Amino acid sequence: MNTVDASPSRNGRGSDSWHRPWAHFTVDRRSPGYCRVMFDHPPINTITATTVTELAELVGLIEEDPDLNVVVFDSANPAFYLAHYDTEGDPGRTAALPAGPTGMHAWLDLLVRLSRAPVVSIASIRGRARGAGSEFVLACDLRFASREKAVLGQFEVGTGVVPGGGPTARLPRLVGRGRALEILLVADDLDGARAEQYGYVNRAIADDELDEEVEAMAARLARFDHDAIARTKAHVDRVTLPADSEFPPALADFFQMLGQPRQQQQSARLLELGLNTDSDLERSLGRRVVESTPES
């Protein structure tokens, strides 16, 4: 893919900054006002330090482009949207990622900046979006899920850690306290219909209609006035988004708990069962994550 409108944008950076070889996604600039990003990191679209670095660069381009109105994020893998985070056996690599412009860790930084960008971000969710994958879609402005094929969840508590990428701040504002605690503490999967019922996503759409509906919405937004979109979104952001100070404490807890012996044993058990591969464990992670916990 990686097709981009060749005409330069008004910011003077032209198309070259967009049209580069991305490792974990492709970029399709369908018009000056509309960009589509497709996650493509086999086998299951895990998020790694490389993904974070690339997404941080992409968010910078999104922020700076005065022509762009809407960016859609979807997946090349119909079974996995963004599976979850993968430390690749070296948690220190993620912990050492440099802070972004907000002063926060790179992962929190890019999520916060995406939420506040003067552009409409849309997550078109087909397949599994758990853990950091869920954190990413929660940072998007609009979320549309395949009724039959979307799976969302925050499974971290089931593995002995705190969800660190912002769901403790975002979910209560979207779904209310009780449902947020259910999602975070029970650590099980929600299908598209339940995610819609809870307010986790804007709407669940029949799988064979998802692409068409999202495409029509994005094409419509691409034609509107950029400044009108940016100003309206900024007013809504001021009264709905969490303050930046709400995010770092949970990530600090995540990194601290990641190094505990009990959690490391659980992670090793999950790897033995098939974590980070296209396995039954990954396809049924919400149900099976309990298998990593010590027997009581």
Side-chain angles (χ1 to χ4, degrees):
M1 234 171 190
N2 270 342
T3 56
V4 184
D5 182 355
S7 61
S9 62
R10 292 192 302 271
N11 63 14
R13 298 183 65 172
S15 64
D16 290 344
S17 296
W18 290 90
H19 195 145
R20 49 147 285 188
W22 305 95
H24 290 182
F25 49 81
T26 59
V27 175
D28 179 7
R29 187 65 177 269
R30 298 194 171 182
S31 73
Y34 176 16
C35 180
R36 200 164 187 112
V37 178
M38 180 176 288
F39 296 115
D40 190 7
H41 178 213
I44 60 170
N45 279 345
T46 55
I47 298 169
T48 69
T50 297
T51 321
V52 174
T53 300
E54 288 197 324
L55 283 173
E57 181 179 346
L58 182 71
V59 169
L61 296 174
I62 290 169
E63 290 175 317
E64 296 171 9
D65 195 312
D67 300 315
L68 187 63
N69 282 354
V70 57
V71 56
V72 173
F73 295 93
D74 64 6
S75 170
N77 186 337
F80 293 93
Y81 181 83
L82 285 170
H84 50 70
Y85 204 90
D86 176 10
T87 63
E88 300 177 289
D90 182 10
R93 185 180 174 204
T94 297
L97 285 169
T102 64
M104 288 184 277
H105 181 275
W107 179 237
L108 294 180
D109 174 83
L110 77 87
L111 296 179
V112 166
R113 289 164 53 216
L114 178 63
S115 293
R116 298 188 184 279
V119 170
V120 182
S121 53
I122 301 176
S124 181
I125 308 162
R126 177 180 285 112
R128 292 149 180 84
R130 301 184 180 109
S134 167
E135 293 167 357
F136 181 85
V137 303
L138 287 170
C140 290
D141 299 314
L142 308 177
R143 290 163 294 283
F144 300 99
S146 164
R147 185 174 298 277
E148 298 88 350
K149 296 184 179 180
V151 176
L152 295 98
Q154 298 284 164
F155 68 97
E156 291 92 336
V157 168
T159 70
V161 297
V162 169
T168 53
R170 296 187 191 276
L171 274 171
R173 289 170 165 86
L174 287 173
V175 306
R177 181 176 184 272
R179 285 174 170 172
L181 288 172
E182 178 186 347
I183 293 166
L184 295 165
L185 299 182
V186 178
D188 204 349
D189 290 336
L190 282 74
D191 60 18
R194 181 62 59 86
E196 178 187 50
Q197 178 189 5
Y198 277 24
Y200 206 149
V201 299
N202 289 62
R203 279 189 290 134
I205 300 171
D207 186 71
D208 61 358
E209 300 174 2
L210 176 65
D211 295 338
E212 182 179 354
E213 286 215 29
V214 172
E215 177 68 21
M217 186 180 304
R220 178 183 176 91
L221 286 164
R223 297 182 62 178
F224 291 170
D225 180 77
H226 176 85
D227 197 37
I229 288 175
R231 293 190 187 204
T232 301
K233 185 170 178 275
H235 287 300
V236 175
D237 289 349
R238 275 192 287 272
V239 296
T240 58
L241 291 181
D244 288 1
S245 60
E246 295 184 38
F247 294 108
L251 188 62
D253 277 350
F254 170 80
F255 284 126
Q256 189 273 326
M257 298 181 78
L258 200 63
Q260 295 180 348
R262 176 187 170 104
Q263 199 285 323
Q264 291 178 342
Q265 292 169 7
Q266 288 185 251
S267 293
R269 175 62 176 152
L270 287 171
L271 287 169
E272 291 174 0
L273 292 169
L275 192 72
N276 301 327
T277 66
D278 191 350
S279 60
D280 180 72
L281 175 80
E282 284 285 5
R283 289 176 177 259
S284 307
L285 188 57
R287 173 175 57 83
R288 294 193 59 191
V289 70
V290 69
E291 296 176 29
S292 72
T293 62
E295 294 186 7
S296 56

